Amino acid sequence: MAVEQGGDGDPVRADDGRCPWAAASEAMGAYHDLEWGVPVRDDAQLFERLTLEGAQAGLSWALILAKRDGYRRAFAGFDVTSVAAFKDGDVKRLLADAGIVRNRAKIGSTVSNARVLEALHQAGDSLVEILWSFVDGVTVHNAWASMTDVPATTPVSAAMSKELRRLGFRFVGPTTCYATMQAAGLVNDHLVTCPRWRELGGTARRGGR
């Protein structure tokens, strides 16, 4: 999720100190409390995170979260081999599927990204190894006091984007990569006031990844 902020900075925080966006809806609260920032070391799950963050480009995370079940159904539970086998007819079918964002470029990139990932698997590589290598395999715990402090991109996410593009991935710009890092727990970007920051291991800042 690319962090969404209002022009006036943070909304008023809840008494529990959670990140302000968690109060936007029940679904956003559950995502914040149970998933965002939890380390993911499974290729299918990382493929899902990367796909959904790419789908968010130009849109709100609330919309993508509402369509998440639709994405899982449309893209075979993000099984890489199944999606890699999608044909033109499947893309045409998905363009008529109201359960996902009906954008040809985004749908096409998901299929082509699955093919790139399948080729990586056949070569003995994985998305887990590639993405986690950018943080030396360990979650980076940042220490942000306000949502206005949280970056949309970092030099590390720019480097990740460059490498993924070199490998053939699409819709993996620096912002999408950083949002994936946040979602998949490569970085812990919960605010220091948020209980989840410490629950996920936040103790000290290692320098903005």
Side-chain angles (χ1 to χ4, degrees), residues 13 18 24 39 47 88 92 126 135 138 168 209:
R13 289 197 186 97
R18 291 192 304 167
F47 177 44
D88 289 345
K92 184 176 181 180
S126 71
V135 291
V138 181
R209 293 281 188 142

Side-chain angles (χ1 to χ4, degrees), residues 150-191:
V150 182
T153 66
T154 66
V156 173
S157 76
M160 179 185 290
S161 172
K162 183 178 180 180
E163 175 61 10
L164 290 178
R165 285 169 167 168
R166 184 189 71 79
L167 292 169
F169 287 91
R170 294 160 50 196
F171 270 88
V172 287
T175 299
T176 293
C177 284
Y178 195 66
T180 301
M181 292 173 69
Q182 294 172 313
L186 281 74
V187 295
N188 175 3
D189 270 358
H190 286 277
L191 301 185

Side-chain angles (χ1 to χ4, degrees), residues 121-162:
H121 287 171
Q122 292 172 352
D125 210 342
S126 71
L127 198 56
V128 170
E129 292 172 333
I130 292 168
L131 298 191
W132 280 92
S133 71
F134 285 91
V135 291
D136 301 324
V138 181
T139 299
V140 174
H141 297 282
N142 290 313
W144 311 120
S146 165
M147 292 305 298
T148 56
D149 297 331
V150 182
T153 66
T154 66
V156 173
S157 76
M160 179 185 290
S161 172
K162 183 178 180 180

Side-chain angles (χ1 to χ4, degrees), residues 5-6 24 43 59 62 65 70 78 87 95 108 111 131 191 197:
Q5 302 171 11
D43 264 31
L59 302 170
L65 191 59
F78 289 96
K87 307 298 182 183
L95 283 169
V111 176
L131 298 191
L191 301 185
W197 180 73

